[in-house]
Amino acid sequence: MTGQTLRPFLRRATQLYPDREVVARTADGTKRRTYAETADRVTRLAAALRAAGVGRGDRVATLCWNHDRHFEAYFAVPDVGAQLHTINPLLPADDVRGIVESAGDRLLFVDPSLTDALTAAYDPEAFESVAEVVVMGAVPDLPVDSVTSFEEFVAGHGGDYDPPALDGDDPAGLCYSSGTTGDPKGVEYTQRMLWSHTMAIMTPMGLDIADADVVMPVVPMFHINAWGLPYAATAAGAKHVYPGPSPDPADLVALIEREGVTLTAGVPTVWLGVLDYLQDHDADLSTLDRIVIGGAAPPERLIRAFDDLGVEVVHGWGMTETAPVGAVSHLKPELRDADYETRLEKRTKQGLILPGLEFEVVDDAGERVPHDGESMGELRVRGPWVADGYLDGDDDAFEDGWLRTGDVVTVDPDGYVELVDRAADVIKSGGEWISSQAVENAIMGHEAVSEAAVVGVPHERWGERPVAYVVAGDADRDALIEAVSDRLRDSYPDWWVPDRFEFVESIPKTATGKFAKTDLRARRDEPLDGPVAAEPPADGEA
Amino acid sequence: MTGQTLRPFLRRATQLYPDREVVARTADGTKRRTYAETADRVTRLAAALRAAGVGRGDRVATLCWNHDRHFEAYFAVPDVGAQLHTINPLLPADDVRGIVESAGDRLLFVDPSLTDALTAAYDPEAFESVAEVVVMGAVPDLPVDSVTSFEEFVAGHGGDYDPPALDGDDPAGLCYSSGTTGDPKGVEYTQRMLWSHTMAIMTPMGLDIADADVVMPVVPMFHINAWGLPYAATAAGAKHVYPGPSPDPADLVALIEREGVTLTAGVPTVWLGVLDYLQDHDADLSTLDRIVIGGAAPPERLIRAFDDLGVEVVHGWGMTETAPVGAVSHLKPELRDADYETRLEKRTKQGLILPGLEFEVVDDAGERVPHDGESMGELRVRGPWVADGYLDGDDDAFEDGWLRTGDVVTVDPDGYVELVDRAADVIKSGGEWISSQAVENAIMGHEAVSEAAVVGVPHERWGERPVAYVVAGDADRDALIEAVSDRLRDSYPDWWVPDRFEFVESIPKTATGKFAKTDLRARRDEPLDGPVAAEPPADGEA
């Protein structure tokens, strides 16, 4: 028995902080319960799951926002030895259907406000494994066979619950990665992975979570366990605040003020919305200490604006495969006295790999690249909360325990990782790498450009060369190309300048709103072979 | 591969903090090396260990103070799959001999200043497994077969070291508990136990260790891995300061000032000595943030004096069997505004059990006692860094993964554990428990008493009754008994008052300086049977 399971976290919180609260904004008003009451409800739900035949290795799906019942499922489902399978209801219906079919979920919990997503995805064959749908509230009309309400499901259970023995290798979670290419891939979490991740993000090098914190995960609980915050807040004995379905900026600000939130987390757009709201509304954010940003790099103006409000923006990096937090832009002590711009530069990077993980950044030949802030390579990570395979056995991304993240990064001499591209998108020209994202950002910096995507197309001599697709209305195209090329040459080697600029009406997008670069690359099936705008280093020919 | 091993901690520190220092005060002056240099030396030592035939499951003993080479062994020995077996050189020679024989150590590292302890313990038969003694400096005359110096041992090694694959279940450490009764018992640490302990003490609920810290373990590295600080400081990327052989208060203060120590740790007597020193010497302790105290509760005057200096005394509890930290007297947020005396009361307790562990406090019948600050029971803990057996197979202390700590404690409504007695010493009278330590403290509070020990002796009706052995010079005995009894009745039930006070010249002591209560109990082989000073509750007869 290793004891590396989630159960002791909640048990300790109940013993040491019985009266601390788990608060949720729900469609039925504010729910406010203590850890002691919450633990009783977790026991009741676990007993109901067992009575429904859910046991070791089974999967229980959720299509839910951030609220009290979802939190209870976070502990109850793994407690019976099953996997909590959080599904993103915002995925295309085909993906939701495919995920349920692939996982073979035995039960499915759904929010009343998300039953449309279930209805759209539902198909009796794909959902054959689902014995029952449990609605987190009143039961609406649903085209599924067996439906019950949460209260009905748990009624009468709990008193006789005998928790099964668990160890670190037991299953605990399942989350599908909505990668940029191909079908979603299932990532399984063991008890040990979630235990390790919880301990790591509690440390000062992680998110520094203590019992004094009031933690509000705005990042959805269907998005990689809300970055692990529900587990870490419990382990620390912190107060929880769940913002419920579709919170808007006014809801979030009201919760911060009323509940005294100290730590919150979400993608940048959420906080840009909050900043806009704050321009027209007075608010007291004095308790708020830090906002964890992930999913995309925080814009500088976001960091600056919250600095002015006395709130620290902490940038984190992670993936479904890393459960998810792998790096945090913690400011090293020697940088704390640096000028503001230098600190800002570090804080916008993906950050320092967490204690407990190993990392390396390697080029195409598998050689480690220097930590000079310029050399690019693919980030590889390994450790106790890093997956070592996918559910469907497609294990190309894994090698000797290392996860090939697919993220192309630089590491600066201070050790900060910066994401510069996706491996699938980086342009390999003359044996050197060109960051498509860097070139895109430079082009989008031009005032007339609304969107730009840069892809590599085959070139006989140089392997690949960059081609830019640009949305620029009726701007003067030649002047724009000249201005953008000059700007690129200011910051990057000459040979990063695209050989061709194609002006288009719009850039094709994927279901999750990212540039569909695969489509763009397919547009140029003829290799380029002419002279290039500037030649890559001659010693690195393709 | 779980990756729950020590190796990634040092590797990450070397990648992210290559220039941060590991500083040691040694007999040869100050050693000052970077993590990068230190990691090279660890590789060199690991290669030398392999060349000497040390491999998986072997044991390598150290009889060493806190210095650079001992730190290198902390990482190098587990890195080859062997157990680092730290031996306390202050133990009686018989114990050292027995420990080496029981462990079957393959190599033994010894400090030049501790060779006398080795010579005293040495016996060719008991040391038969020891192929070589490696001296951490110049080689003196020693009565052992094969002796070499550290520099000779490592010379020429390192370049070709190929680290073996390790996982969490691999052995990593060994430490003998110098318990109060019986022979020392060996406690083995796996890589996973040390990994888990490292993560736990880094958290804010533990010792809150960050890269900005400068960590000086004064607690000897032969004493349960210096409470795990060398590993945690490495994991955090902190600077290390090792105070070398027999540091005196002047040495410690000089190191704090010169190296900017922020976090240090040791037993109360060390810090009482530092306080005395500070009365006559100016010192700038402005960098020092906190002192971790363990091994014995910090006296209130120690906490008050350091509070006046702006240094927080943090009390921790642990055992060899808990690797060692199990609880820390972290102040809960709701207590931070309490009055000073209330906070002091909490801070002198053993504290809150760490996240990741489970605990319960049970009476003789195995029932959990209420957390009311008064009900006594034996503390039981379980978790990823708690041993589940002893090396010699004497496993009475272990049950269902629970460690019976042998510590009798109360838990107050805020969850703070307070040690009130050892289970072997608590007096069980009429089905209720009397804390021998509490009664002793009350008696020793009388100005004429220099020492007092209280033991339970058999009583026909009440099971046991307390008898006090008192050293009180030529004080008026009747007056003393009356005063002490009054004092006891002020704070405790009447029936806690000893039935008999025996005035003695001195109290017998164990090898480690504790009261030899077993000897005292043996003095009264005739059960008591007369009337008692006050009767325990009638419903709880023996």
Side-chain angles (χ1 to χ4, degrees):
Chain A
M1 155 133 19
T2 69
Q4 290 184 323
T5 66
L6 300 169
R7 188 185 285 159
F9 292 141
L10 182 58
R11 197 172 276 181
R12 173 184 177 276
T14 307
Q15 286 174 299
L16 301 188
Y17 305 92
D19 300 330
R20 192 143 303 168
E21 290 174 326
V22 177
V23 179
R25 167 183 168 269
T26 76
D28 307 327
T30 300
K31 300 282 177 62
R32 187 177 296 277
R33 298 197 190 89
T34 65
Y35 269 122
E37 291 164 341
T38 299
D40 283 345
R41 291 173 58 88
V42 168
T43 297
R44 194 175 63 144
L45 177 55
L49 288 166
R50 281 265 282 255
V54 176
R56 193 175 309 268
D58 285 334
R59 297 186 176 125
V60 174
T62 59
L63 270 170
C64 301
W65 291 105
N66 296 13
H67 51 62
D68 52 328
R69 287 168 175 160
H70 205 180
F71 175 69
E72 289 153 23
Y74 263 53
F75 277 93
V77 174
D79 207 73
V80 301
Q83 282 179 336
L84 177 79
H85 174 203
T86 53
I87 302 179
N88 181 347
L90 309 181
L91 285 178
D94 283 353
D95 281 359
V96 173
R97 184 183 312 117
I99 284 172
V100 170
E101 185 168 19
S102 151
D105 296 311
R106 206 178 155 106
L107 289 180
L108 188 149
F109 289 80
V110 62
D111 277 4
S113 65
L114 292 170
T115 50
D116 284 354
L118 174 59
T119 303
Y122 187 75
D123 165 308
E125 207 169 306
F127 278 65
E128 200 187 345
S129 63
V130 180
E132 199 161 20
V133 169
V134 182
V135 182
M136 296 293 204
V139 177
D141 264 354
L142 277 177
V144 301
D145 281 343
S146 177
V147 188
T148 186
S149 74
F150 185 86
E151 291 308 324
E152 242 179 298
F153 182 74
V154 298
H157 292 290
D160 58 348
Y161 179 62
D162 181 24
L166 294 175
D167 79 20
D169 294 323
D170 276 316
L174 172 64
C175 188
Y176 281 76
S177 164
S178 59
T180 48
T181 55
D183 288 331
K185 295 183 172 74
V187 177
E188 295 185 282
Y189 306 126
T190 62
Q191 292 271 0
R192 174 172 295 121
M193 288 171 71
L194 298 184
W195 189 91
S196 301
H197 180 266
T198 300
M199 298 301 276
I201 69 171
M202 264 196 295
T203 68
M205 314 304 302
L207 303 179
D208 199 18
I209 301 172
D211 56 356
D213 276 312
V214 178
V215 179
M216 180 171 76
V218 179
V219 49
M221 293 174 83
F222 53 72
H223 192 69
I224 327 172
N225 293 339
W227 302 344
L229 290 169
Y231 293 127
T234 306
K239 174 177 169 182
H240 301 234
V241 179
Y242 293 100
S246 317
D248 64 25
D251 297 324
L252 296 177
V253 168
L255 285 167
I256 292 168
E257 288 189 303
R258 194 185 71 203
E259 304 299 337
V261 170
T262 64
L263 168 64
T264 181
V267 293
T269 47
V270 167
W271 309 111
L272 291 168
V274 167
L275 281 181
D276 283 348
Y277 174 86
L278 291 174
Q279 295 213 312
D280 305 323
H281 299 82
D282 282 336
D284 174 10
L285 302 188
S286 58
T287 63
L288 188 61
D289 184 47
R290 54 215 193 280
I291 298 175
V292 180
I293 300 256
E300 274 193 21
R301 78 172 178 93
L302 185 71
I303 300 182
R304 288 178 195 274
F306 277 108
D307 276 340
D308 289 343
L309 294 169
V311 178
E312 186 191 2
V313 167
V314 177
H315 184 205
W317 168 88
M319 305 172 69
T320 308
E321 293 83 345
T322 60
V325 184
V328 170
S329 67
H330 171 91
L331 209 57
K332 294 170 84 169
E334 56 267 40
L335 292 166
R336 290 189 194 155
D337 295 329
D339 60 84
Y340 188 77
E341 299 304 318
T342 302
R343 284 182 280 138
L344 203 55
E345 187 204 327
K346 300 297 183 185
R347 291 170 61 197
T348 53
K349 293 189 176 191
Q350 274 63 26
L352 302 174
I353 297 292
L354 292 189
L357 294 185
E358 294 177 88
F359 78 102
E360 56 181 31
V361 178
V362 297
D363 62 19
D364 271 346
E367 296 296 318
R368 294 192 190 176
V369 305
H371 291 189
D372 56 11
E374 294 188 355
S375 301
M376 287 182 276
E378 185 180 13
L379 176 65
R380 310 199 327 165
V381 295
R382 179 162 77 171
W385 61 96
V386 177
D388 59 5
Y390 290 119
L391 188 58
D392 66 2
D394 170 9
D395 291 344
D396 286 354
F398 304 93
E399 192 183 319
D400 285 341
W402 289 101
L403 166 69
R404 299 166 54 187
T405 63
D407 281 341
V408 173
V409 304
T410 59
V411 185
D412 69 26
D414 290 310
Y416 288 80
V417 167
E418 183 173 17
L419 183 61
V420 295
D421 215 341
R422 287 290 298 169
D425 297 333
V426 75
I427 297 155
K428 295 172 181 176
S429 193
E432 300 287 330
W433 290 8
I434 299 171
S435 161
S436 68
Q437 283 183 19
V439 178
E440 286 161 4
N441 289 340
I443 298 173
M444 286 195 277
H446 189 286
E447 57 182 8
V449 175
S450 57
E451 284 185 330
V454 175
V455 298
V457 297
H459 184 281
E460 287 203 341
R461 176 158 182 213
W462 300 110
E464 287 184 339
R465 290 293 303 155
V467 167
Y469 292 83
V470 181
V471 180
D474 49 8
D476 176 335
R477 295 180 174 186
D478 289 339
L480 189 152
I481 291 174
E482 196 179 320
V484 159
S485 301
D486 284 348
R487 181 193 300 255
L488 273 166
R489 277 187 286 260
D490 282 350
S491 305
Y492 303 106
D494 288 357
W495 45 274
W496 282 37
V497 177
D499 286 341
R500 200 177 283 262
F501 288 79
E502 303 268 359
F503 289 86
V504 292
E505 291 288 306
S506 65
I507 310 277
K509 307 272 188 336
T510 67
T512 53
K514 295 174 180 168
F515 291 152
K517 292 193 178 180
T518 311
D519 293 356
L520 290 175
R521 280 187 286 264
R523 290 190 187 179
R524 298 210 58 105
D525 45 6
E526 293 295 307
L528 292 170
D529 58 1
V532 298
E535 295 198 348
D539 59 341
E541 299 191 16
Chain B
M1 155 130 22
T2 68
Q4 290 183 324
T5 67
L6 301 169
R7 187 185 288 158
F9 292 142
L10 182 58
R11 195 172 278 180
R12 173 183 177 277
T14 308
Q15 287 175 297
L16 300 188
Y17 305 92
D19 300 329
R20 192 144 302 165
E21 289 174 327
V22 177
V23 179
R25 168 184 168 268
T26 77
D28 307 326
T30 300
K31 300 281 179 63
R32 188 178 294 279
R33 297 197 191 91
T34 65
Y35 269 124
E37 290 163 344
T38 299
D40 282 345
R41 291 173 58 89
V42 168
T43 297
R44 195 176 63 146
L45 177 55
L49 289 165
R50 281 266 283 254
V54 175
R56 193 175 311 268
D58 285 333
R59 296 186 177 125
V60 174
T62 59
L63 272 170
C64 301
W65 291 104
N66 297 12
H67 51 62
D68 51 328
R69 286 167 175 160
H70 205 179
F71 175 69
E72 290 152 23
Y74 263 51
F75 277 92
V77 173
D79 207 74
V80 302
Q83 281 179 337
L84 178 79
H85 174 203
T86 54
I87 302 179
N88 182 345
L90 310 180
L91 285 177
D94 283 353
D95 282 359
V96 173
R97 184 182 313 116
I99 284 172
V100 170
E101 185 168 19
S102 150
D105 296 310
R106 204 177 158 108
L107 289 181
L108 189 149
F109 288 80
V110 62
D111 276 3
S113 64
L114 292 170
T115 50
D116 284 355
L118 174 61
T119 303
Y122 188 76
D123 165 306
E125 206 168 308
F127 280 65
E128 199 189 346
S129 63
V130 180
E132 198 160 23
V133 168
V134 182
V135 182
M136 296 294 205
V139 177
D141 264 351
L142 277 176
V144 300
D145 280 342
S146 177
V147 188
T148 186
S149 73
F150 185 86
E151 292 306 325
E152 242 179 297
F153 182 74
V154 298
H157 291 291
D160 57 348
Y161 178 62
D162 181 25
L166 294 175
D167 80 19
D169 293 323
D170 276 316
L174 172 63
C175 188
Y176 280 76
S177 165
S178 58
T180 47
T181 55
D183 289 330
K185 295 183 171 73
V187 177
E188 296 186 282
Y189 305 125
T190 62
Q191 292 271 0
R192 175 172 295 120
M193 288 170 72
L194 298 183
W195 189 91
S196 301
H197 181 267
T198 300
M199 297 301 277
I201 68 171
M202 265 197 294
T203 69
M205 313 305 302
L207 303 179
D208 199 17
I209 300 172
D211 55 356
D213 276 312
V214 179
V215 180
M216 180 170 78
V218 179
V219 48
M221 292 173 83
F222 54 72
H223 192 69
I224 327 172
N225 292 340
W227 301 346
L229 289 170
Y231 293 128
T234 305
K239 174 178 169 181
H240 301 235
V241 179
Y242 292 100
S246 318
D248 64 24
D251 297 323
L252 296 177
V253 169
L255 284 169
I256 292 168
E257 288 189 302
R258 194 185 70 203
E259 304 299 336
V261 170
T262 63
L263 169 64
T264 181
V267 293
T269 47
V270 166
W271 308 112
L272 291 168
V274 167
L275 281 180
D276 284 348
Y277 174 85
L278 291 174
Q279 296 212 313
D280 306 322
H281 299 82
D282 282 337
D284 173 9
L285 301 188
S286 58
T287 63
L288 189 61
D289 183 49
R290 55 214 191 280
I291 298 176
V292 181
I293 301 255
E300 275 192 20
R301 76 171 178 94
L302 185 71
I303 299 182
R304 288 178 194 274
F306 277 109
D307 275 341
D308 289 344
L309 294 169
V311 178
E312 185 191 2
V313 168
V314 177
H315 184 205
W317 168 88
M319 306 172 69
T320 309
E321 293 84 344
T322 59
V325 184
V328 170
S329 67
H330 170 89
L331 209 57
K332 293 170 84 169
E334 56 267 39
L335 292 165
R336 291 191 193 153
D337 296 329
D339 62 83
Y340 187 78
E341 299 304 317
T342 303
R343 284 181 281 139
L344 204 55
E345 187 205 327
K346 300 295 183 186
R347 291 171 60 197
T348 54
K349 295 190 175 190
Q350 274 63 26
L352 302 173
I353 297 292
L354 292 189
L357 294 184
E358 291 176 271
F359 78 103
E360 56 182 29
V361 178
V362 298
D363 63 19
D364 271 347
E367 296 296 317
R368 295 192 189 176
V369 306
H371 292 190
D372 56 12
E374 294 187 355
S375 301
M376 288 182 278
E378 185 180 12
L379 176 65
R380 313 200 323 164
V381 294
R382 179 162 78 169
W385 60 97
V386 177
D388 58 4
Y390 290 120
L391 188 58
D392 66 2
D394 170 10
D395 291 344
D396 286 354
F398 305 92
E399 192 183 321
D400 286 341
W402 288 101
L403 166 70
R404 299 167 54 187
T405 64
D407 281 340
V408 173
V409 304
T410 59
V411 185
D412 68 25
D414 291 309
Y416 288 79
V417 167
E418 182 172 17
L419 184 60
V420 295
D421 215 341
R422 287 289 300 168
D425 297 333
V426 76
I427 297 156
K428 295 173 180 177
S429 192
E432 300 286 331
W433 291 9
I434 299 172
S435 162
S436 69
Q437 283 184 19
V439 179
E440 286 161 4
N441 290 341
I443 298 173
M444 286 195 276
H446 189 286
E447 55 182 10
V449 176
S450 58
E451 284 184 330
V454 176
V455 298
V457 298
H459 184 281
E460 288 203 342
R461 175 156 182 216
W462 300 111
E464 287 184 338
R465 288 294 303 155
V467 168
Y469 292 84
V470 181
V471 181
D474 49 8
D476 176 334
R477 295 180 175 187
D478 290 339
L480 189 150
I481 291 172
E482 196 179 322
V484 159
S485 300
D486 284 348
R487 183 193 298 255
L488 273 165
R489 277 186 286 262
D490 282 350
S491 305
Y492 303 105
D494 288 355
W495 45 274
W496 281 38
V497 177
D499 286 341
R500 200 177 284 263
F501 289 79
E502 304 269 0
F503 289 85
V504 293
E505 291 288 308
S506 66
I507 310 277
K509 308 271 189 336
T510 67
T512 53
K514 295 173 180 169
F515 291 152
K517 292 194 178 179
T518 311
D519 293 357
L520 290 175
R521 280 187 286 263
R523 290 192 188 177
R524 297 209 60 106
D525 46 6
E526 293 296 309
L528 292 171
D529 59 2
V532 300
E535 296 198 347
D539 59 341
E541 299 191 16

